Amino acid sequence: MTLFTTMQHLVPQKKLSEVAGRLAASRHPVVKKTFIRSFAKAYGVSLDEYERQSLNAYESFNDFFTRELKDNARPIDSTPNAITSPADGVISQLGQIDKNKLLQAKGRHYDIGQLLADSADAELFTDGSFATVYLAPSNYHRVHMPFDGILTKTRYVPGTLFSVNNNTAANVPDLFARNERLVCLFDTQYGPAAVVMVGAMIVAGIETVATGRIIRKDDIQESPHSMKLAKGDELGRFYLGSTAIVVMPKAAKTDWLEGLHADSVVQMGQLLGTAKA
């Protein structure tokens, strides 16, 4: 275990995220200016692709962090039966689900039932496929639909708030099934599908178009929905960086692009693979 991972076990994860959340939401001119400018400089953020191109145009750090792209900045791939990237970021892992196991990092797997926090839903994805996209701090932080579908259910699952970068994924068992997350379940032309938005260290919140801003609680919260969303539509956003996991059923026979692998850089709307209806 690395020093970075050990430190994450020791720090008060939720309290740290709560404090970060209050500062990130502040509209105080000095607070927001300091955080936005320091962050933009540290991570080399360019606003060329974004609708608002001045750092002064954002009302808070949260507003800056979830900044909107210009129209058509991310073309949505039109390949028939395309499964597209839900976010800008880096592929953490992708491939087939081995019975009920997803690959987290080399030598580490975790259980789909733990990820979804529901054994019945997990059975829908036995021997299915998955793609995990890690959003770095500098990335565009809205999550979009990787397929057409009807959102039928969301499930908030409380948990830890470890970092979700590759270092932590390689060292913390069941990372994505331990961290706070929001499970979004869909009916699609391929059968049931899911997008799981996983929280992380200093992530101040998760929001979706169906639920609004998620309020952190100590128990699982499930809500029914019936919202039709098209591929490329905004599904939600993270307040500070995290991970989005696309889960497809076996019946979809998802064929991920041969050139994609762990550490491949992707953009929202980019073709990840195709499925069979």
Side-chain angles (χ1 to χ4, degrees):
M1 184 177 293
T2 66
L3 177 61
F4 177 63
T5 304
T6 301
M7 290 299 295
Q8 290 182 67
H9 283 276
L10 299 176
V11 299
Q13 297 175 342
K14 291 186 179 179
K15 180 58 67 176
L16 185 61
S17 291
E18 287 171 6
V19 171
R22 287 196 293 271
L23 290 172
S26 174
R27 298 192 178 198
H28 188 284
V30 175
V31 174
K32 72 169 186 175
K33 181 177 180 179
T34 299
F35 272 78
I36 290 173
R37 291 188 178 278
S38 297
F39 185 92
K41 182 177 180 180
Y43 289 100
V45 175
S46 169
L47 295 178
D48 290 348
E49 296 181 306
Y50 294 91
E51 188 65 32
R52 290 174 283 172
Q53 298 193 353
S54 168
L55 294 178
N56 295 325
Y58 297 92
E59 297 180 356
S60 67
F61 180 80
N62 277 342
D63 187 34
F64 165 72
F65 196 80
T66 58
R67 57 197 179 273
E68 68 276 25
L69 290 164
K70 290 179 180 177
D71 288 344
N72 303 316
R74 295 287 183 278
I76 307 303
D77 190 273
S78 59
T79 301
N81 298 329
I83 307 299
T84 58
S85 178
D88 284 10
V90 174
I91 295 290
S92 177
Q93 296 291 340
L94 85 169
Q96 304 305 304
I97 299 172
D98 185 5
K99 294 182 180 177
N100 61 347
K101 297 293 184 181
L102 291 78
L103 182 63
Q104 175 176 299
K106 186 176 180 179
R108 288 198 183 277
H109 293 77
Y110 63 102
D111 190 272
I112 184 68
Q114 289 178 289
L115 177 68
L116 302 181
D118 187 283
S119 57
D121 284 341
E123 290 180 3
L124 301 172
F125 300 103
T126 299
D127 292 325
S129 56
F130 75 99
T132 303
V133 179
Y134 165 68
L135 290 74
S138 60
N139 286 134
Y140 168 64
H141 265 78
R142 300 191 186 192
V143 176
H144 293 248
M145 290 290 290
F147 40 64
D148 296 337
I150 297 173
L151 177 66
T152 59
K153 188 188 304 180
T154 55
R155 179 181 299 121
Y156 166 77
V157 186
T160 55
L161 290 168
F162 287 102
S163 169
V164 288
N165 62 22
N166 287 342
N167 185 304
T168 311
N171 286 282
V172 176
D174 304 321
L175 173 63
F176 302 126
R178 293 172 64 173
N179 267 16
E180 176 185 60
R181 56 203 178 277
L182 185 70
V183 178
C184 301
L185 294 160
F186 301 90
D187 282 339
T188 76
Q189 61 181 318
Y190 316 110
V195 176
V196 183
M197 298 174 65
V198 184
M201 181 73 74
I202 315 183
V203 169
I206 299 172
E207 177 180 327
T208 73
V209 293
T211 62
R213 185 79 172 264
I214 295 296
I215 298 173
R216 283 198 169 112
K217 297 185 179 179
D218 294 329
D219 54 357
I220 293 174
Q221 302 289 319
E222 190 168 289
S223 300
H225 304 279
S226 182
M227 179 179 287
K228 188 174 183 180
L229 294 164
K231 181 180 63 178
D233 284 353
E234 183 178 336
L235 173 61
R237 59 188 71 175
F238 287 113
Y239 292 91
L240 298 183
S242 200
T243 288
I245 305 172
V246 179
V247 187
M248 301 296 294
K250 179 181 180 180
K253 298 180 180 178
T254 307
D255 185 18
W256 302 118
L257 291 183
E258 188 174 340
L260 289 178
H261 50 76
D263 297 327
S264 289
V265 176
V266 294
Q267 289 189 326
M268 185 277 288
Q270 177 181 330
L271 180 67
L272 297 184
T274 57
K276 294 181 173 60

